Amino acid sequence: MKESTKLMFQKHGWRVDRFVHNYYYFLFYYPYVAISRRFILLLKYLSWCKPIVPVGKMVFNRYHSKVLSHEDTRKIFTLNEDIRHVSDENKKIVPYKYATKIIFQEPDNIVVMDCPCKKATNAPKEDINSCIAVGKSVTSFWLEQCQKYHPRKISQQEALEIIHRFRKKKHITQAFFKVATGGSTGVICNCHPDTCVSLQATKFAGRISDQLSMTAKSGYSVVFEGERCVACGHCADMCGFDAITFVNGRRTYTKDLCMGCGLCVEDCPENAMSLYVDPDKPLPLDLDMIRARAASPSI
Ligand code: SF4
Ligand code: SF4
């Protein structure tokens, strides 16, 4: 048995079913996601059919993402110690039933590989190699067994540069959580609403039920400093969720639509916007805040 297979087997313990799922998920990363995308398209056409809601709930409780701000991503890619938070408290950050473990083990092991969503949606060739794994258990498997998806080891600095490059191109940053991969973090990807299967799934799921979502908001909302704004409209151009619109030069911000990705804030030429922790949203995946809460649970 290959070393990375052993590592994956150990991660899942007695849940051999999850090991098998995880093994084939990564081994056939692209066809797995391409088939899932077709399933989601089917959901879209069956959105009128109410009996489909329990099926959607079952899937979305097991596979989801958490939107990350640029700063919270930076904290992950500069980690020099293991992070392991396995607690029901994490549901305040990743508000789902099962996959909520925040684990970054040996976090300086980082690998970038072809993104199956971008391949499945015919994204530009130069954007394909953009799915990032953090931590030994995933990176060793990708390097040893996923050569067909062009994995390559990168430094923390290179990972940050990739994130920065994609954010400039309107890609948000998301941490993925999946029951089949141990219920924990491990893959961080650069996602565009036009090419990300999980963002598309969330959009279609919303038509079936407003209770269904595959994507957890970052935990931040946007505040504007009105006097600095010159109504250039860049923030609306950057937003992939229609949370900011301009009609006749008048800006509208819809907090409920805002994923808190921060792309608009970074692109504002006048520094007229900032993010704040929004008590109406799930808590951010901010490693400093997570450490502080672990040290003092009353926070
Ligand atoms: S990008 Fe900044 S300056 Fe331009 S419209 Fe938006 S808030 Fe105003
Ligand atoms: S309004 Fe800004 S922070 Fe909110 S989703 Fe749009 S781009 Fe992201």
Side-chain angles (χ1 to χ4, degrees), residues 224 228-235 246 251 267-270 272-273:
F224 295 85
R228 285 207 198 152
C229 176
V230 293
C232 65
H234 284 161
C235 49
F246 269 85
R251 186 191 62 225
D267 202 54
C268 174
E270 305 296 326
M273 322 165 69

Side-chain angles (χ1 to χ4, degrees), residues 46-207:
L46 294 177
S47 57
W48 52 270
C49 177
K50 289 297 165 203
I52 220 164
V53 173
V55 179
K57 273 193 182 150
M58 194 187 77
V59 173
F60 291 1
N61 275 333
R62 285 165 173 77
Y63 178 82
H64 37 258
S65 61
K66 171 78 178 174
V67 178
L68 300 175
S69 72
H70 206 165
E71 177 58 12
D72 290 345
T73 311
R74 187 194 63 74
K75 288 178 187 175
I76 293 169
F77 285 131
T78 51
L79 261 179
N80 53 17
E81 59 179 11
D82 289 0
I83 292 274
R84 186 177 178 84
H85 287 275
V86 180
S87 151
D88 262 5
E89 277 288 292
N90 289 349
K91 288 181 185 165
K92 293 178 180 163
I93 299 169
V94 199
Y96 296 96
K97 199 168 178 182
Y98 303 115
T100 58
K101 296 176 190 162
I102 296 169
I103 299 174
F104 295 103
Q105 217 147 9
E106 301 185 51
D108 55 340
N109 282 277
I110 305 179
V111 167
V112 62
M113 190 166 85
D114 290 352
C115 169
C117 295
K118 294 189 180 71
K119 276 167 75 91
T121 52
N122 297 317
K125 211 172 159 199
E126 66 274 15
D127 289 353
I128 301 283
N129 199 248
S130 61
C131 213
I132 303 176
V134 188
K136 186 114 190 222
S137 79
V138 180
T139 56
S140 62
F141 192 89
W142 283 15
L143 285 172
E144 201 175 24
Q145 308 202 40
C146 299
Q147 281 306 316
K148 55 185 176 289
Y149 303 129
H150 312 109
R152 62 193 170 89
K153 201 166 192 306
I154 56 173
S155 65
Q156 291 180 318
Q157 183 57 33
E158 282 172 287
L160 287 173
E161 284 164 13
I162 291 170
I163 296 291
H164 181 71
R165 175 161 60 87
F166 275 97
R167 288 181 73 87
K168 284 275 166 215
K169 292 168 69 166
K170 300 190 193 179
H171 289 65
I172 66 169
T173 315
Q174 296 196 97
F176 283 87
F177 293 73
K178 187 168 163 56
V179 168
T181 54
S184 72
T185 43
V187 175
I188 292 178
C189 201
N190 300 281
C191 308
H192 191 284
D194 292 345
T195 55
C196 172
V197 173
S198 89
L199 289 177
Q200 290 175 353
T202 285
K203 193 171 168 188
F204 299 148
R207 292 186 198 175

